[in-house]
Amino acid sequence: MPSRSSKMSAHFWNDAEIILYIIIAVLVVDNLWAVYLLIREIIAVHEVEQVPPVISPYLPQDLFNKMRTYKIHKSWFTVINTLLIVVFSGILELFFGFYPWLWGVATKCSLAKWMEHEACVSVFYVLLLSVYMALKACPGMLYEKLCIKALQERKHPPWLRRICREIIDAILAVIFMSLTVVSLVFMVLWLEEYTAVGLYVQSLLLTLLLILLVPFLIDPFVGKRVPLENANLRSDLEHLTDIVDFPMRQVHIIRVNDPNTPSNAFFYGSCCLKRIVIFDTLLLNRGRKDLSTLSPEDVGKGLRDAQVVAVVAHELGHWVHGHFYKAIFMFQFHMILMLSLFHVLFPHGPIYQAVGFEAGLQPIVVGFLIVFGFVLTPYLTLSNFCMLSATRHFEYQADSFAWEMGFSKDLRQALLKLYADNLAFPISDPCYSSWNHTHPTMLDRLNRLEKLQQRHSNGT
C-alpha cells in the first residue's frame, strides 16, 4: 500500500497549479538573487572613490571616475530592467497563459495544409516570440544607448553599411533559427523517448566539429594572420616555447578586423590543433614599427616585450595543466546531468498544463522553452556557478605557472596595463564575481601572485 508521503509527492508532481506556482517562485528567486548580487556590486563600487594605489600609475583618476559612474549607472539600469522586464512581465506571461495564446496565434498563421504541420507552426511560434521579445526589450535598449554614456566613442561604419549588415544578420538569424526549430521537432517526433540521447549525441558531434574547425576559423572571423615583426620578441617567445616543448609555429599573431577589440591572447585546442592566438592589440603600438599607420588613440597602447612573453607563459600554463581537456570533460558531465533531467521533465503533461495548455497538447518547441527557460533554472544556475569557479581556478593555475617560470613581475605589470587599456573596472564584490565572472578580478590575481612570492621568500 503506498505511503502517505508517496501520495503527496505524486499529487504534487501531477498538480498543474502547484507546478505553476513553483515555476513562478523559481523565476522570482533566481532573478532576485541576481539583483541582490548586483546591488552588492553597486555598493562595492560606490565605496571606492579613489584609484587603488596598485593601478594608479596606469589609470588616471578622472578616467577611473568615468568608469565608476558608468558601472554604477549600468548596474542600476540592469536591476530595474530585470525587475520589470524579466520578473514582473515573466510572472504575468506565466500566470495569464501567454505561451499557449501565442501558440494559438501561430496555428492561425498556417495558410496552407502543409503549414499545419507542427514543424511549420513551431517556426511561426518562434518568429512571433522573437518579435515580442525584441519589442519588450526595445525601451531598455533605447535607454541604454541614449542615456548611458559610453566610456569611449567607438568607430562605426557608414549608416548604409550598418543597415545592410543588420538586414543580412536578421535574414541569417531567421534561416538558422528555422533550421534549428525544424530539426528539433523532427528529432523529437522520430526519437520520442530517446530524444535526450539524440540531443547528447548531437552536442557531442557539435563539440568535436568545433574542436576540429575553430582553429581554422579564428583567422577569417577575427582578423588576418600576420608575421611578428619584432625580432627580439620572436626570439624570447621561441626560447619560452622551447622550454615547454610547445611548437612556435602554433603561436599566431592576428591583426584584428575590429579596432575596438580588447587586447587579448588565448589558448585553444589539443594535439596538432592547439593554438596560442595573440591579438595585435596586445602588442605595443599593435606591433608596428611605422607609427604613422596607427590612429592617435592606439599609440602607446599594448604591452612591452617582456610583458607579452609573461602573458604567453600564462597561456602555456593552460596547455601544461590540460585545462582544455578538463573544460571539455566538465561540459560533457554537465550535458549528461542536464539532459537526464530534461528526459524526466520534457514529456510530463502537467508542466504544459501549468503554463496554460489544455491536457494532451504538448507542443515540442514550447516544451524546450519551458523546461530549459524555467523548470531547469535551479540546476542551470548552480552548474553555471560551479563551471565559473572551475574556470577561475584554471586562471589561478595558469598564473602560478607563469610565476614558476619567473614572470611574476612582468605578469603583474601586464595585468595592470591590460585592465587600463581595456577600460575594465578593477573593483568587484567577491560574491558577485564568484557568480558572474569567468576570470578572477585583477586585484585578486595580483594578491595571489603576491602570496606566491611571500611563500617563496619564507621558504614554504
Side-chain angles (χ1 to χ4, degrees), residues 33-246:
W33 174 247
V35 167
Y36 165 74
L37 294 175
L38 258 174
I39 292 176
R40 286 182 60 107
E41 179 82 342
I42 292 170
I43 293 172
V45 173
H46 195 271
E47 289 177 344
V48 181
E49 297 182 356
Q50 300 295 322
V51 184
V54 70
I55 199 175
S56 58
Y58 303 90
L59 185 62
Q61 181 65 42
D62 59 339
L63 181 55
F64 177 84
N65 292 339
K66 291 179 182 178
M67 295 167 66
R68 180 172 173 267
T69 301
Y70 173 82
K71 188 169 181 66
I72 291 174
H73 193 174
K74 182 72 176 289
S75 297
W76 275 122
F77 163 74
T78 305
V79 168
I80 301 302
N81 195 61
T82 300
L83 292 175
L84 291 179
I85 304 301
V86 180
V87 177
F88 182 70
S89 67
I91 292 172
L92 294 179
E93 289 160 4
L94 288 167
F95 192 81
F96 291 104
F98 168 77
Y99 296 103
W101 173 81
L102 191 65
W103 180 261
V105 174
T107 58
K108 295 176 182 178
C109 294
S110 303
L111 302 178
K113 188 68 177 177
W114 62 272
M115 290 184 179
E116 296 177 2
H117 191 280
E118 184 169 354
C120 291
V121 177
S122 297
V123 171
F124 295 144
Y125 180 83
V126 174
L127 283 173
L128 291 171
L129 185 62
S130 300
V131 172
Y132 167 75
M133 292 296 183
L135 292 174
K136 188 168 70 169
C138 194
M141 182 186 67
L142 290 175
Y143 179 86
E144 186 174 7
K145 288 188 176 295
L146 299 177
C147 301
I148 302 181
K149 189 176 181 180
L151 288 172
Q152 61 180 354
E153 294 295 328
R154 291 185 172 270
K155 299 175 183 177
H156 295 294
W159 275 103
L160 181 60
R161 185 183 301 176
R162 290 171 64 182
I163 292 173
C164 291
R165 187 174 65 184
E166 291 293 332
I167 293 174
I168 293 172
D169 288 347
I171 293 173
L172 292 176
V174 169
I175 293 173
F176 177 77
M177 178 275 298
S178 301
L179 292 175
T180 302
V181 169
V182 171
S183 64
L184 285 177
V185 170
F186 279 105
M187 178 185 293
V188 174
L189 292 176
W190 291 338
L191 297 180
E192 297 180 346
E193 67 268 23
Y194 299 105
T195 297
V197 176
L199 289 172
Y200 178 73
V201 171
Q202 187 182 60
S203 72
L204 187 61
L205 292 175
L206 183 60
T207 301
L208 294 174
L209 187 64
L210 288 175
I211 292 173
L212 293 173
L213 293 183
V214 165
F216 304 103
L217 297 177
I218 291 174
D219 295 2
F221 279 96
V222 177
K224 177 183 178 183
R225 191 190 309 179
V226 295
L228 182 57
E229 298 179 10
N230 188 329
N232 291 331
L233 178 56
R234 169 170 281 279
S235 177
D236 290 342
L237 291 177
E238 287 176 346
H239 176 69
L240 175 63
T241 53
D242 284 344
I243 293 175
V244 296
D245 197 26
F246 188 93

Side-chain angles (χ1 to χ4, degrees), residues 103 118 122 185 188-189 345-353 355 357-368:
W103 180 261
E118 184 169 354
S122 297
V185 170
V188 174
L189 292 176
L345 297 168
F346 180 70
H348 191 57
I351 291 177
Y352 297 82
Q353 296 165 32
V355 298
F357 284 94
E358 298 177 359
L361 180 58
Q362 298 178 200
I364 293 169
V365 70
V366 179
F368 276 88

